Amino acid sequence: MVVLKKREEEKELSDYKISLAAARVNVEMTQNDVAKKLGVSNKTVINWEKGTVQPSLATLNYLSELYKIPIDNLQV
């Protein structure tokens, strides 16, 4: 019974989503820092975080590495 409960808790953690903005703040970066690292405008980063524009899969992969969070846990 305890093992099953532990697996349920692990599943809940793997389902946890964090916004792009929260992930960025968590690694103490500004929108401008991210824009410079990716070679995009500050406005592009703002639009990703607002959900106005969705970053490409390649960009999401890079952001997940930059923010030190699995790509599956990024909310876009």
Side-chain angles (χ1 to χ4, degrees), residues 15-76:
D15 289 340
Y16 180 73
K17 300 287 185 189
I18 186 167
S19 71
L20 292 175
R24 174 183 52 77
V25 169
N26 192 47
V27 293
E28 300 178 352
M29 295 183 78
T30 66
Q31 290 171 330
N32 197 42
D33 294 334
V34 174
K36 285 181 181 177
K37 287 254 187 205
L38 291 168
V40 299
S41 71
N42 191 44
K43 184 72 173 169
T44 298
V45 176
I46 290 168
N47 285 332
W48 291 338
E49 291 183 359
K50 283 182 171 180
T52 307
V53 177
Q54 189 170 15
S56 69
L57 183 56
T59 301
L60 284 173
N61 279 324
Y62 186 80
L63 289 172
S64 74
E65 290 176 17
L66 189 64
Y67 297 160
K68 300 176 181 128
I69 184 170
I71 193 168
D72 292 340
N73 292 85
L74 287 175
Q75 179 180 352
V76 287

